[in-house]
Amino acid sequence: MPSFLAPVSALLRRLSIDTFTILLLCTVALASVLPCAGHTAVVLGKITTVAISLLFFLHGAKLSREALVSGLTHWRLHLLVLASTFVMFPLLGLALKPLAGSVVTPELYVGILFLCTLPSTVQSSIAFTSMARGNVAAAVCSASASNFVGIFVTPLLVSTLIVRGAAGGSALDAVIAIVEQLLLPFLAGQFLRPWIGRWVDSHKPMLKIVDQGSILLVVYTAFSESVIEGLWHKLSGEALAGLVAINCVMLAIALGLATWTSRRLGFNREDEITIVFCGSKKSLASGVPMAKVLFAPSALGMVILPVMLFHQIQLMVCAVLAQKWGREPRP
């Protein structure tokens, strides 16, 4: 690396701005300048659907049943994480409606509500819990359970909370669509894990390429459609700044409530760390594919923008917290 780029690289690492985040920004820029349309958009849409199904198939094949079983006995912790993810966050999104209505557009508020319905992250929740010396086994179980439960709960919450922007149909239709495109491939991967699990575990870079590639495809097609529909004419700098502020407020409240609740309920320090990281984060990897299933193509850009921003904000904040807690003395 050239010497003049070293300070920039160090700053990006300190802020947890990784290569994937840069690729996301480049994808949005590409869609803004060269949006896909017509036959190209149709072909890319089909490729994206296949890529997402492959992504969830590989996640199913990768997920260790032993890791899940080892954490199942810690049911109080898991219930608290699920309550934070699927109860506290949606209520917080509704409570912030007066503030959101004054600083962001109605379309962005739909994206904020959708963000609040999403499951927790898996990889980063586990990584930060490990870095902060929390209960890693419980984090694996909680984060995985959150994503599995989210396949059913997220479309139900979307149908309940969001009126505008959804693709239409009943909550049952939304669940069926999620099950067909996401759950069935996931279960197929779990079923085949005894035969292909070792191969998948030894080819983690391939899973990362499929994971990130499918998200980039959805982002490109979604923003292309939205750009054609006039996304950047509808989105002002003030609304974007307001969205960042609301995301920061939501994350701060979620972190604070998770910490306060875990201490009030008597969890030890390791479990508290797990609850904070698993209960305050939202999954971009699950959120983008779910948005593609649940929302009309013209609405996708505004819907996934809050998720993308929250993803980066939570990575930066949680990285600092994990490093701080990892250095603290323990008895």
Side-chain angles (χ1 to χ4, degrees), residues 166-232:
S170 65
L172 180 59
D173 293 334
V175 171
I176 291 174
I178 291 289
V179 166
E180 289 178 347
Q181 297 189 37
L182 306 183
L183 179 60
L184 290 181
F186 178 88
L187 293 178
Q190 270 284 288
F191 177 76
L192 293 174
R193 176 171 171 76
W195 296 277
I196 67 173
R198 184 175 297 177
W199 184 87
V200 170
D201 291 339
S202 64
H203 291 78
K204 289 183 179 180
M206 178 198 64
L207 180 59
K208 184 176 181 180
I209 291 173
V210 175
D211 191 342
Q212 297 184 353
S214 61
I215 294 174
L216 293 175
L217 277 172
V218 175
V219 169
Y220 177 66
T221 55
F223 272 87
S224 291
E225 179 75 21
S226 298
V227 166
I228 293 172
E229 294 288 330
L231 169 68
W232 300 123

Side-chain angles (χ1 to χ4, degrees), residues 125-155:
S125 291
I126 297 169
F128 287 139
T129 299
S130 176
M131 187 186 304
R133 295 188 291 157
N135 189 335
V136 177
V140 171
C141 185
S142 272
S144 302
S146 176
N147 275 259
F148 183 79
V149 171
I151 291 176
F152 303 97
V153 174
T154 294

Side-chain angles (χ1 to χ4, degrees), residues 28 41 57 199 217 309:
V28 172
F57 172 80
W199 184 87
L217 277 172
L309 287 175

Side-chain angles (χ1 to χ4, degrees), residues 28-295:
V28 172
L30 178 63
S32 302
V33 178
L34 294 173
C36 64
H39 179 68
T40 302
V42 173
V43 172
L44 280 179
K46 293 179 179 179
I47 294 174
T48 301
T49 300
V50 173
I52 289 172
S53 296
L54 177 60
L55 165 67
F56 276 78
F57 172 80
L58 292 174
H59 275 303
K62 183 186 72 169
L63 186 60
S64 168
R65 297 173 194 174
E66 293 77 12
L68 290 177
V69 172
S70 69
L72 284 177
T73 55
H74 218 341
W75 61 269
R76 289 176 65 243
L77 182 149
H78 305 319
L79 284 180
L80 182 55
V81 170
L82 290 174
S84 176
T85 302
F86 296 115
V87 178
M88 184 272 290
F89 258 104
L91 292 176
L92 180 58
L94 292 174
L96 288 174
K97 184 176 182 180
L99 173 62
S102 62
V103 296
V104 299
T105 64
E107 293 82 4
L108 281 180
Y109 181 63
V110 168
I112 292 172
L113 285 180
F114 175 66
L115 164 67
C116 292
T117 70
L118 292 176
S120 179
T121 62
V122 178
Q123 290 93 336
S124 58
S125 291
I126 297 169
F128 287 139
T129 299
S130 176
M131 187 186 304
R133 295 188 291 157
N135 189 335
V136 177
V140 171
C141 185
S142 272
S144 302
S146 176
N147 275 259
F148 183 79
V149 171
I151 291 176
F152 303 97
V153 174
T154 294
L156 293 174
L157 289 173
V158 168
S159 298
T160 302
L161 300 178
I162 301 174
V163 178
R164 297 176 54 180
S170 65
L172 180 59
D173 293 334
V175 171
I176 291 174
I178 291 289
V179 166
E180 289 178 347
Q181 297 189 37
L182 306 183
L183 179 60
L184 290 181
F186 178 88
L187 293 178
Q190 270 284 288
F191 177 76
L192 293 174
R193 176 171 171 76
W195 296 277
I196 67 173
R198 184 175 297 177
W199 184 87
V200 170
D201 291 339
S202 64
H203 291 78
K204 289 183 179 180
M206 178 198 64
L207 180 59
K208 184 176 181 180
I209 291 173
V210 175
D211 191 342
Q212 297 184 353
S214 61
I215 294 174
L216 293 175
L217 277 172
V218 175
V219 169
Y220 177 66
T221 55
F223 272 87
S224 291
E225 179 75 21
S226 298
V227 166
I228 293 172
E229 294 288 330
L231 169 68
W232 300 123
H233 296 291
K234 300 175 184 176
L235 182 63
S236 65
E238 292 80 4
L240 187 59
L243 176 61
V244 172
I246 289 176
N247 278 346
C248 291
V249 169
M250 286 200 304
L251 180 60
I253 293 175
L255 290 169
L257 283 177
T259 302
W260 180 82
T261 306
S262 60
R263 291 178 181 176
R264 290 282 293 180
L265 293 178
F267 286 97
N268 62 35
R269 182 59 171 160
E270 289 73 21
D271 289 346
E272 176 189 324
I273 289 170
T274 302
I275 292 166
V276 169
F277 285 131
C278 293
S280 65
K281 302 172 96 258
K282 291 294 182 176
S283 175
L284 179 70
S286 296
V288 171
M290 285 183 177
K292 185 178 184 297
V293 176
L294 297 173
F295 291 87

Side-chain angles (χ1 to χ4, degrees), residues 25 240 243-244 247 284 304-316:
L25 295 174
L240 187 59
L243 176 61
V244 172
N247 278 346
L284 179 70
I304 65 177
L305 184 58
V307 183
M308 291 170 56
L309 287 175
F310 191 86
H311 169 77
Q312 185 56 45
I313 293 169
Q314 71 184 8
L315 287 181
M316 291 190 294

